[in-house]
């Protein structure tokens, strides 16, 4: 049996050498007047075959030395010439994968501990999409439905000033080790806090990863607690959080979202399949890919597919996001058509929208890249309209919003209502005045475009 395996392995090696020689001669002899598509196929075949030969030799050498046989890896084929990927994202295959290396930096008034608690799994920059999100430790239980649906990398910025720092660490370690394996597998945590609210002691990442959690003990409290942030009346620096999570992502594509928004299933593989198909837009304008946002009644199961979502909408157990607060902020163009569009396999762009009237205060959730403008860090969550400046920026740059047909996000169950708060009204008034002063800066730097407003 051993002699037979040696003979077969050597035979395979000889065959691969002959295949590479054949492809090399074919490539050399291909006339320059051949069609570009034929030439493209040959250009792919030669390096792929050489790569395969290299792996085959490794298998043979491992066999001789008694090491386990490695599975030969062949690079995936190039996308079609007319694909969306080649047209709009030609640098995807040349992107750089950043390691999940702990890194500390100061950003303005904040300290940022990037990759402070890294995920177990790491992804190449061109093979997945990072769900980027943020919050304090009282929101961490939302990671369970997010990771179970997303099945890909999650980058989460944790606001952890003062005593909240230790509570955040204890909650994360408990959830990673005792509650949800997917959190440990997929989620990388970044911590940030104001310099004047620096914790007393900050363990190193190495120390944290060596800690053992006793899952038989009572879990730490993270719900219905009074946080250090609340005790000290600290505003939540939402856009510092968003930028921290997004800019630390390993992958080329990112999905900036909020931690209480749960995505539909199978999004990542379907998105990459869509990239292999032709673009539906006849422009080369920059674009992002929109996932419509919905709410469901408290106690309702969060839908995983569009079929389930439509059923809830028809029964009035679900509504568009913030329908009772700011309906025009989240209703997508051609919403009724999107709702009635026949559900078909896969993922595609249903419609290309713009942030022009009557959608000039639209703030969609979208998949994009880190080439998109960052969020203005002068704005707080309590002051509201914290995403509007970034959306105004995208409008000035003439972005297209490709609304996806079979993808969406749903807020944690419970229909949102407008709540009166005199204290927050004061903060909203102050932030609105600040935004009015900010807008001229953007117009001076990026110009003016008719129809763009906040």
């Amino acid at each position: 049996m051993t002699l037979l395996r040696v003979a077969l392995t050597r035979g395979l090696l000889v065959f691969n050498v002959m295949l590479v020689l054949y492809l090399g001669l074919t490539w050399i002899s291909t006339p320059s007047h051949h069609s570009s598509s034929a030439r493209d196929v040959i250009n792919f075949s030669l390096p792929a075959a050489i790569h395969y030969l290299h792996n085959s030799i490794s298998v043979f050498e491992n066999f001789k030395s008694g090491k386990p046989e490695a599975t030969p890896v062949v690079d995936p084929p190039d996308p079609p010439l007319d694909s969306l990927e080649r047209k709009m994202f030609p640098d995807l295959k040349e992107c750089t994968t950043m390691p999940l290396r702990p890194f500390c930096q100061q950003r303005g008034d904040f300290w940022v501990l990037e990759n402070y608690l890294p995920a177990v799994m790491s992804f190449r920059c061109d093979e997945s999409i990072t769900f980027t999100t943020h919050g304090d430790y009282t929101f961490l239980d939302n990671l369970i439905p997010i990771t179970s649906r997303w099945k890909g990398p999650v980058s989460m910025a944790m606001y952890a000033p003062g005593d909240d720092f230790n509570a955040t660490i204890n909650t994360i370690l408990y959830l990673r080790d005792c509650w949800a394996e997917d959190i440990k597998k997929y989620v990388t945590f970044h911590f940030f806090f104001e310099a004047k609210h620096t914790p007393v002691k900050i363990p190193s990442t190495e120390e944290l990863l060596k800690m053992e959690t006793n899952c038989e003990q009572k879990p730490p409290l993270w719900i219905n607690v009074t946080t250090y942030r609340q005790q000290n009346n600290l505003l939540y620096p939402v856009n510092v959080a968003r930028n921290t999570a997004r800019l630390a992502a390993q992958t080329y594509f990112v999905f900036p979202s909020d931690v209480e928004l749960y995505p539909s299933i199978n999004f990542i593989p379907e998105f990459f399949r869509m990239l292999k198909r032709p673009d539906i837009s006849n422009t080369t304008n920059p674009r992002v890919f929109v996932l419509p946002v919905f709410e469901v009644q408290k106690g309702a199961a969060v839908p995983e597919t569009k079929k389930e979502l439509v059923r809830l909408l028809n029964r009035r157990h679900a509504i568009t996001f913030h329908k009772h607060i700011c309906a025009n902020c989240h209703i997508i163009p051609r919403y009724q058509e999107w709702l009635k569009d026949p559900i078909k396999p896969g993922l595609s762009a249903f419609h290309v929208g713009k942030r022009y009237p009557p959608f000039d205060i639209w703030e969609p959730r979208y998949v994009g890249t880190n080439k998109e403008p960052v969020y203005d860090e002068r704005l707080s969550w309590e002051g509201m309209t914290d995403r509007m400046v970034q959306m105004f920026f995208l409008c000035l740059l003439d972005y297209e919003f490709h609304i996806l047909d079979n993808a969406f996000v749903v807020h944690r169950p419970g229909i949102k209502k407008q709540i009166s708060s005199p204290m927050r009204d004061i903060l909203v008034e102050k932030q609105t005045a600040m935004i009015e002063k900010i807008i001229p800066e953007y117009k001076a730097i990026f110009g003016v475009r008719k129809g763009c407003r906040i």
Side-chain angles (χ1 to χ4, degrees), residues 112-144:
V112 178
L113 310 181
E114 193 172 300
N115 301 323
Y116 186 52
L117 256 174
V120 170
M121 290 187 67
S122 182
F123 292 81
R124 288 198 327 265
C125 58
D126 64 343
E127 72 172 331
S128 195
I129 305 168
T130 302
F131 188 106
T132 73
T133 191
H134 56 92
D136 64 31
Y137 72 96
T138 65
F139 288 87
L140 281 169
D141 58 313
N142 292 288
L143 287 176
I144 297 171

Side-chain angles (χ1 to χ4, degrees), residues 31-164:
S32 61
H33 62 268
H34 277 194
S35 69
S36 59
S37 60
R39 185 89 181 181
D40 191 66
V41 170
I42 293 171
N43 274 332
F44 161 68
S45 300
L46 179 60
I50 293 173
H51 188 72
Y52 185 78
L53 175 60
H54 172 78
N55 281 282
S56 298
I57 293 173
S58 298
V59 170
F60 182 61
E61 293 300 323
N62 287 341
F63 175 78
K64 289 197 301 179
S65 63
K67 297 179 181 178
E69 294 183 9
T71 303
V73 177
V74 180
D75 291 333
D78 290 338
L81 290 172
D82 63 346
S83 67
L84 169 62
E85 180 181 324
R86 281 209 174 188
K87 177 186 174 184
M88 295 305 304
F89 309 106
D91 56 339
L92 173 61
K93 295 302 180 185
E94 283 75 48
C95 63
T96 301
T97 302
M98 303 301 293
L100 292 177
R101 179 177 61 86
F103 176 71
C104 178
Q105 62 174 316
Q106 192 174 13
R107 291 226 324 255
D109 296 331
F110 294 88
W111 281 104
V112 178
L113 310 181
E114 193 172 300
N115 301 323
Y116 186 52
L117 256 174
V120 170
M121 290 187 67
S122 182
F123 292 81
R124 288 198 327 265
C125 58
D126 64 343
E127 72 172 331
S128 195
I129 305 168
T130 302
F131 188 106
T132 73
T133 191
H134 56 92
D136 64 31
Y137 72 96
T138 65
F139 288 87
L140 281 169
D141 58 313
N142 292 288
L143 287 176
I144 297 171
I146 287 174
T147 53
S148 67
R149 290 161 172 263
W150 190 247
K151 296 298 183 186
V154 176
S155 174
M156 184 164 187
M158 301 299 306
Y159 182 46
D163 293 340
D164 285 349

